[in-house]
Each structure stands twice: as C-alpha cells, then as structure tokens.
Amino acid sequence: GFFQSHAVEVDIKDSSNATCLYANWMMRFLIIYESNTSDYKTTTLNLSSSVTHNGSVCGNDTQAAFVAVQFGEGHSWNINFTKNNETYQGDFITFTYNTNDTAVFPDAKRKGLVTVVLRDPTPPVQLNSVYVCHNTDDIEAENVTQIFWNVTVQAFVQNGTVSKKEFRCSADTPTSAPTVVPTVANVTTVSTTTLSPAPTTPPKPVEKPAIGNYSLKSGNKTCLLATVGLQLNVSQDKPFLININPKTTIADGACGNTTATLKLNDGNSTLISF
C-alpha cells in the first residue's frame, strides 16, 4: 500500500538561485475519525500526484527554515528547522487534514480542517550533512499516524550543493547478530560425558500488577468497563517489566455503536490504547 502515495521533492532556492534547502521523501497518514453513526473509522490519506510547496523558506542564523507542502482537497503538511553553531534539527511538524474531502472521509461527522501539531523526534544532524532514512518511520499523535520512508533532507545547505555526507537514521543502521552462548538447549550434537549444563540464576520474581477498574461513560451511562491488572514486558537494551498502577492511571476514550476505544495514561509516559 505504500506505493499508492507519491514522492515529494522540494528544492528551495535563495536569492542567488542556489539551493538552500532540499527534501525528498514519501509519506502517508492513517487517521481515525468519527462517522455520522458515531462509529470510529480508520482511513488512509495518501499524497496526490500534484503537490505544491508554497510558503517554503530557506532560513538563516536567526530565522527557521520552513518546508510547507499542500496536496489533495485542502490538506497540508509543514515542518520548520532550526540550527545552532554545528547542527540543524526539525522543530515542529504541523499536519492539517480536511474532513470535507469525501473521497477520504465519506461519512465524517465533523466537517472542516483539523490540525495536529507535534515535535519532530529526529535527532540533531551535523551541518553540511544530509539526513537519510530509507526504512519506514511513524509518529502518532491525536488519532493520526504519520508514516515516512525514503527520506532525504538537508536544511541550511552550504554553497548551493547538497552534501554527500550522510547522517543515517537508526532504522537504516544494520545491527550485528547477537552472540549465542552454547547451552544444552541450542547444541545439536553433544557428548553426554563431557558437557555439564551451566548454572543459571533464577529470575528475580516480580510482584503481580494491581487490579484496576477502568470505565467510560456515554452520557450518564457506563458504556465500557474493564477490570484488569496490566504488566508490560518491554525489550530494549535489555528486557524490563512495567506494572501499570491504577491509582495513578487515567482512563479516557470513546464509545460508538459498534466500536469503543479505551486509553490508559499512567502519567509516566506510558500510554496504552485498546
């Protein structure tokens, strides 16, 4: 489905007709919206073949660079870049979609423009380096998932020439295969007279999560009720467990005729959505 979207290329020139900002990328959007029947539906918004970039500016030491693209029936996407002495970085991403676009939102209950603003999570990039990310990356905010891939961008281009020095995103960086220590479980041929299983340390027991009661109301009536203890097993540098504390967790969401969404926010940057 990714190839239903079109690539965007923005080459902004300064007063001397030299390139000052270059970007080439692909993106699409997954949007949850409320229908006329109060159901919540997910739709896909792809870029059209005709994309404009009115309002884009180069930027300088005191003014942010700005990429603005417009597409389809009143949709737009913007990002601004700021720089310091040695690096540049995306600042805010602003995405506006138009629910009057009946091809994308055929039965939207809310009509008009909806704007979502969020911070760009991309790390700082060295000046005179081009940011490249071929793998897909996605950002979620306010019922919108923004998906990007095949990204090439350089703000504050020096001497009018896009740099050949690349700053690759972490998703493009190959990772080495983990070293597997031989054990009884993964050795296929073994002498039973010489191999002894290595002693293992039993895992530290983790207390069970407390059970919480979470509910949503539609008017004066409860429309969703969940009684559950929640524990997350997260694998990053090394696995760790998170227990969701019902005493500090806030329940939010919405009920429709055929669907319901329950969002739990524990106040510690953990958000779970059912």
Side-chain angles (χ1 to χ4, degrees):
F2 285 119
F3 298 102
Q4 295 175 2
S5 198
H6 293 265
V8 185
E9 184 176 31
V10 177
D11 188 350
I12 305 174
K13 308 287 187 179
D14 61 17
S15 57
S16 61
N17 202 35
T19 297
C20 60
L21 192 155
Y22 178 81
N24 191 315
W25 76 101
M26 298 188 75
M27 64 181 175
R28 71 169 181 170
F29 308 90
L30 302 180
I31 304 170
I32 299 174
Y33 70 99
E34 187 177 7
S35 70
N36 289 324
T37 57
S38 296
D39 293 334
Y40 284 84
K41 297 182 177 181
T42 301
T43 188
T44 301
L45 174 60
N46 293 305
L47 294 182
S48 58
S49 57
S50 57
V51 177
T52 58
H53 51 88
N54 300 323
S56 300
V57 295
C58 293
N60 51 43
D61 291 339
T62 59
Q63 180 185 11
F66 190 67
V67 175
V69 296
Q70 305 85 34
F71 60 98
E73 299 296 325
H75 314 295
S76 64
W77 185 91
N78 309 323
I79 184 172
N80 64 302
F81 295 90
T82 55
K83 74 171 181 175
N84 59 26
N85 293 332
E86 298 180 352
T87 62
Y88 67 91
Q89 185 175 21
D91 193 5
F92 285 100
I93 295 174
T94 304
F95 170 52
T96 300
Y97 59 95
N98 183 13
T99 58
N100 285 316
D101 185 350
T102 56
V104 182
F105 307 94
D107 54 353
K109 184 175 182 179
R110 176 183 176 182
K111 298 294 186 181
L113 299 177
V114 182
T115 298
V116 177
V117 180
L118 68 156
R119 281 197 172 274
D120 180 14
T122 306
V125 180
Q126 288 290 324
L127 289 172
N128 203 31
S129 296
V130 58
Y131 175 81
V132 177
C133 193
H134 294 306
N135 283 279
T136 58
D137 190 16
D138 59 85
I139 310 172
E140 295 184 28
E142 300 182 35
N143 293 332
V144 176
T145 301
Q146 304 184 38
I147 305 171
F148 307 89
W149 69 103
N150 289 346
V151 176
T152 300
V153 61
Q154 183 181 356
F156 307 103
V157 175
Q158 300 176 16
N159 302 320
T161 303
V162 177
S163 176
K164 294 183 179 180
K165 182 181 178 182
E166 294 184 351
F167 178 97
R168 285 297 187 113
C169 65
S170 58
D172 283 3
T173 305
T175 56
S176 58
T179 302
V180 179
V181 178
T183 65
V184 174
N186 61 32
V187 173
T188 56
T189 303
V190 64
S191 171
T192 57
T193 60
T194 60
L195 180 65
S196 298
T200 59
T201 302
K204 182 180 180 180
V206 178
E207 64 181 23
K208 292 182 178 180
I211 296 176
N213 295 307
Y214 310 102
S215 62
L216 300 178
K217 288 186 177 294
S218 178
N220 294 325
K221 295 182 178 180
T222 298
C223 60
L224 188 151
L225 176 64
T227 301
V228 61
L230 290 172
Q231 183 181 88
L232 307 182
N233 188 332
V234 183
S235 296
Q236 290 184 338
D237 295 333
K238 56 183 179 180
F240 64 96
L241 301 178
I242 300 174
N243 284 344
I244 302 303
N245 184 358
K247 294 181 179 180
T248 59
T249 299
I250 299 174
D252 194 7
C255 296
N257 289 339
T258 60
T259 61
T261 300
L262 173 65
K263 297 180 179 180
L264 301 179
N265 188 340
D266 76 341
N268 292 310
S269 301
T270 303
L271 176 63
I272 310 171
S273 180
F274 298 94

